[in-house]
Amino acid sequence: MTQGVEPVDLLRLIGSAAHDYDSMDELEQVLLPGDDLHPLAAQLVAPILAFAADPKTRLPDQLLMLVRELAAHPAGGAVRDCLRAFTITLRNLSDLDDHSVVEESTALLGHCGPDPALAAALLARARAEADDYRRVTPLVTAAQLDPAAAAGWLPELLDPSRPPTVRVAAVLAMREAGLPAGPGAAAALAEGWSADPDALRWTTRKARLPGLVEYAAGRAREEEVYPAIARDGLPQARRDVAQALADRSARGDLPDGLGALLCRLLDDPEERVRRCAYRAVVADDALTRRQAGWLALRIGQGAPMRRSALDALLRVGDPRWRDHALAALSQGWTPPRLPAALRELPVLDEPLREAVLARVLALATTIDVERSPKATANDHRELVGLLKVLERAPQPAIGPLAAQLPQMTFPARLWVAEFLAETGKGDPAVPAALAAIANGEVIYLRLLWLAGGDDAPLRAAIAVAPRRDVLAAVAAAEVFGDADPDVAARLREIRDSDADVKDRFAAAGALWELTGDPAEAEATVREALRAPWLRTRQRAAELADQLGLTR
């Protein structure tokens, strides 16, 4: 019931939080654990407000902010109801000189209505305030406390003669008071937000543009409000429009008219607006197709985002990606989808094939393990993908790759060695290159044997390898087959051990190939389907299909 904290300890924690930020963070975590609300939240409002009203408290504004978060919680109805009992306390706090305390307490007074007298006092305060930003919270709270009266005085605040901040605040006040949007609300919001996009950004009564547009204009007129702000607004206002439309695009409910507006923002003079619009366009198939020509043009101009733009063209299947594939490979900005697209081409012409080989050589000899894990992983994926492209016509690549193999580091060396072993049989350069790097390691000696080299070094390495070395056990199954009865016993020992599931799965797969009995592998394959490693899960799925297992 108390989230593991006794009520008496909660009171002590509130007392500590009144003076210490770390305790305040702890109190917030206790009262708002995850997405939940503490069951005693409503009962704790009284002591929290008592500490907030104490002149000795160092952090009264933080306590009030916490109460506001409790009241704003979807399950905070009891908190909102109990605030009415503290109207006098909150009103006294709203008369202090501390601006943060005044803002927070005034916002909390909005839950203490109806109270026409208090609403009138707050409206008078707002009208007397010289700072437009400090007028927002009392205006909204006054409207909440007396909606009937607010219906009379709010429309005049929408007038173009009013400051932009006040016009936007009036729209928010109408919404919070539960009033219908007046006929001038949409225009006031568009013009006010264009001139002052920070109107509700730094005040206690915050609101985002999409919610206000939905209230003031609805879906019927939103295609008037957003374009007006995008046309006339300050850079931050245009950025707000771009973000609102990007969010709609991500949810899949962006109308065509607003989609066209988002595309127009790709050419906005402000870079942050362009960036926001661009991220949305390349993530949405319909917008990418609409702007494919623009994207292709920017790629040709060498724009910094050319890699993601080319990847977007590849995603939607726009044929213009072929015009830039050679440049991407040659200049080293290969998008993730390019290797797969090259494999699907009916013919890979010589310039592209040479560019793929050059890129493979560059990646295999320069991948730096000191780079960020993400960058290294991207290079690894690209190298594996491009090696698959070379499999279509491997002969011209075998000589250069074999010559550079000793200069490569793991894992690039292993992937290239596997490529050479599979595609370079009969080429004397391949066994020579593999023998030069083997160094007694089973993994390379096996590839040497598969490429047609001598099997004596592999047999010797298997003989001295630890019994539970899965690479040696699998290689033994390939070399000796069922001629040696100990091979199957060795694989079963690994399969039934406490080794990682990927090693046990490898042993089970080799055991099935050796014996032809699906029962030898079924249980381990099912376990491998839930392994934490993607490649293991993929291989397990392939083997499960071969075994006819239901998943």
Side-chain angles (χ1 to χ4, degrees):
M1 280 293 294
T2 59
Q3 308 294 329
V5 182
E6 295 299 325
V8 65
D9 294 325
L10 281 171
L11 292 176
R12 292 195 189 99
L13 184 56
I14 293 170
S16 299
H19 303 279
D20 177 67
Y21 280 105
D22 290 338
S23 298
M24 179 64 68
D25 291 341
E26 183 181 352
L27 178 61
E28 182 175 358
Q29 293 171 10
V30 170
L31 297 185
L32 292 165
D35 295 329
D36 297 327
L37 181 67
H38 196 287
L40 300 180
Q43 300 176 41
L44 295 173
V45 169
I48 293 175
L49 290 181
F51 275 105
D54 187 342
K56 298 179 182 178
T57 295
R58 291 181 57 203
L59 305 175
D61 57 328
Q62 299 297 312
L63 291 171
L64 293 170
M65 191 181 302
L66 175 60
V67 174
R68 182 162 57 84
E69 291 177 6
L70 299 176
H73 194 278
V79 176
R80 295 188 288 272
D81 292 340
C82 78
L83 284 172
R84 294 190 180 93
F86 301 97
T87 302
I88 294 176
T89 299
L90 292 171
R91 189 166 184 177
N92 289 336
L93 287 169
S94 72
D95 290 331
L96 297 178
D97 293 332
D98 188 320
H99 171 64
S100 297
V101 171
V102 171
E103 280 281 305
E104 295 295 339
S105 57
T106 302
L108 288 172
L109 282 171
H111 300 293
C112 300
D115 191 332
L118 178 55
L122 290 174
L123 178 60
R125 180 200 296 178
R127 286 174 170 165
E129 179 61 63
D131 187 335
D132 289 337
Y133 291 106
R134 296 194 177 193
R135 301 171 71 181
V136 173
T137 299
L139 280 176
V140 176
T141 301
Q144 287 179 294
L145 292 173
D146 192 358
W153 54 262
L154 275 175
E156 69 180 73
L157 300 182
L158 302 175
D159 191 82
S161 63
R162 299 287 182 169
T165 307
V166 173
R167 299 178 74 189
V168 174
V171 175
L172 175 60
M174 285 182 169
R175 188 186 73 175
E176 297 302 298
L179 299 173
L189 176 62
E191 296 168 10
W193 200 282
S194 294
D196 187 8
D198 293 330
L200 305 178
R201 199 178 302 273
W202 310 117
T203 60
T204 301
R205 304 308 296 262
K206 297 178 176 63
R208 298 180 70 243
L209 180 60
L212 291 179
V213 172
E214 184 175 357
Y215 165 74
R219 293 297 174 95
R221 297 186 59 199
E222 64 180 0
E223 294 192 25
E224 300 175 15
V225 175
Y226 283 123
I229 300 176
R231 181 187 64 244
D232 303 326
L234 295 173
Q236 181 58 53
R238 303 196 303 275
R239 170 67 171 75
D240 292 338
V241 171
Q243 187 61 59
L245 301 186
D247 292 341
R248 290 276 294 275
S249 175
R251 295 195 302 268
D253 67 342
L254 185 67
D256 288 343
L258 293 181
L261 173 61
L262 183 60
C263 292
R264 290 199 296 274
L265 291 174
L266 290 169
D267 294 314
D268 191 273
E270 185 74 16
E271 182 180 2
R272 54 185 171 148
V273 179
R274 296 195 302 270
R275 285 179 179 270
C276 183
Y278 172 77
R279 285 193 295 268
V281 167
V282 296
D284 183 276
D285 286 356
L287 295 178
T288 297
R289 292 189 182 96
R290 182 199 293 260
Q291 293 300 119
W294 184 90
L295 292 171
L297 177 63
R298 298 293 288 152
I299 294 169
Q301 293 172 344
M305 46 49 159
R306 60 190 183 275
R307 181 173 182 266
S308 59
L310 182 54
D311 202 51
L313 294 182
L314 286 159
R315 190 188 70 244
V316 300
D318 189 283
R320 279 168 282 200
W321 69 265
R322 301 183 188 183
D323 300 335
H324 307 285
L326 184 59
L329 290 165
S330 303
Q331 298 168 15
W333 47 273
T334 312
R337 290 179 173 84
L338 184 56
L342 293 173
R343 291 200 304 272
E344 294 173 2
L345 287 177
V347 178
L348 192 67
D349 60 36
E350 186 174 351
L352 271 178
R353 186 168 58 249
E354 291 177 353
V356 170
L357 175 58
R359 182 64 179 155
V360 166
L361 286 168
L363 286 169
T365 56
T366 61
I367 287 178
D368 185 0
V369 294
E370 298 301 325
R371 296 176 63 196
S372 72
K374 182 177 180 181
T376 302
N378 288 339
D379 285 349
H380 287 170
R381 279 191 292 269
E382 182 183 348
L383 175 58
V384 171
L386 292 177
L387 284 171
K388 292 179 180 178
V389 176
L390 290 178
E391 289 175 0
R392 298 180 54 184
Q395 198 58 41
I398 291 173
L401 289 175
Q404 293 296 320
L405 191 61
Q407 280 70 50
M408 301 176 191
T409 56
F410 184 86
R413 173 187 285 185
L414 175 59
W415 295 328
V416 173
E418 289 175 340
F419 170 83
L420 292 172
E422 293 171 4
T423 63
K425 293 178 181 178
D427 189 322
V430 173
L434 293 172
I437 66 165
N439 195 31
E441 296 183 51
V442 170
I443 193 168
Y444 292 114
L445 292 173
R446 171 183 170 273
L447 295 176
L448 173 60
W449 170 65
L450 290 174
D454 186 4
D455 65 351
L458 175 59
R459 290 176 180 271
I462 292 173
V464 299
R467 184 167 180 80
R468 290 193 179 183
D469 185 323
V470 68
L471 290 174
V474 171
E478 292 178 321
V479 175
F480 303 121
D482 56 6
D484 184 350
D486 188 54
V487 171
R490 187 175 183 177
L491 289 170
R492 290 190 185 97
E493 187 176 329
I494 296 173
R495 181 198 63 187
D496 300 333
S497 70
D498 58 357
D500 283 341
V501 65
K502 60 183 176 182
D503 289 345
R504 291 187 286 111
F505 165 69
L511 194 57
W512 169 68
E513 292 182 356
L514 181 67
T515 65
D517 184 1
E520 295 278 13
E522 285 183 3
T524 311
V525 169
R526 293 188 187 279
E527 185 180 357
L529 288 170
R530 303 187 300 274
W533 306 282
L534 174 61
R535 185 59 184 143
T536 301
R537 295 197 302 271
Q538 291 173 337
R539 289 176 173 170
E542 294 170 2
L543 185 52
D545 291 338
Q546 295 178 47
L547 296 175
L549 298 182
T550 57
R551 286 184 278 155

